[in-house]
Amino acid sequence: MTDRIPEIPLVPNPQTADAKRAVGFEWSELKAGYRHQLGGEPDWVQDPDVPTCKSSGEVMTFYGQFDSIGDDYILADVGLIYVFVCFGCFTTEAVLQSS
């Protein structure tokens, strides 16, 4: 069983003109839109909310997080989606938080 995945930052690299226009915020803080990562520790914007696997009863492993992309693809109030996995049964669960 894997308790923690090493942190691997994910850097947005839009490939098309439409994708380049989609990235970024007019009024948000500078780091918003760049908090994507695999592994490591969640960058919680609210209190920690680590799920427990409904099948095994084990606390799930943080797999990664995805930030809001830009003004047109904002998650609530510049929120993040946190993805968790149970390595015993490969069940996944996502948590959405916003500030």
Side-chain angles (χ1 to χ4, degrees), residues 32-96:
Y34 294 92
R35 298 173 291 181
H36 314 285
Q37 73 182 53
L38 296 175
E41 294 294 325
D43 183 15
W44 297 110
V45 293
Q46 296 177 5
D47 291 334
D49 186 12
V50 179
T52 300
C53 178
K54 292 172 182 63
S55 297
S56 70
E58 297 291 324
V59 173
M60 299 179 88
T61 300
F62 174 65
Y63 197 83
Q65 68 188 36
F66 298 97
D67 200 352
S68 293
I69 297 170
D71 288 324
D72 291 335
Y73 302 99
I74 196 167
L75 299 169
D77 186 16
V78 193
L80 291 124
I81 297 173
Y82 307 91
V83 179
F84 295 84
V85 64
C86 173
F87 281 102
C89 65
F90 296 106
T91 298
T92 60
E93 191 165 327
V95 175
L96 173 65

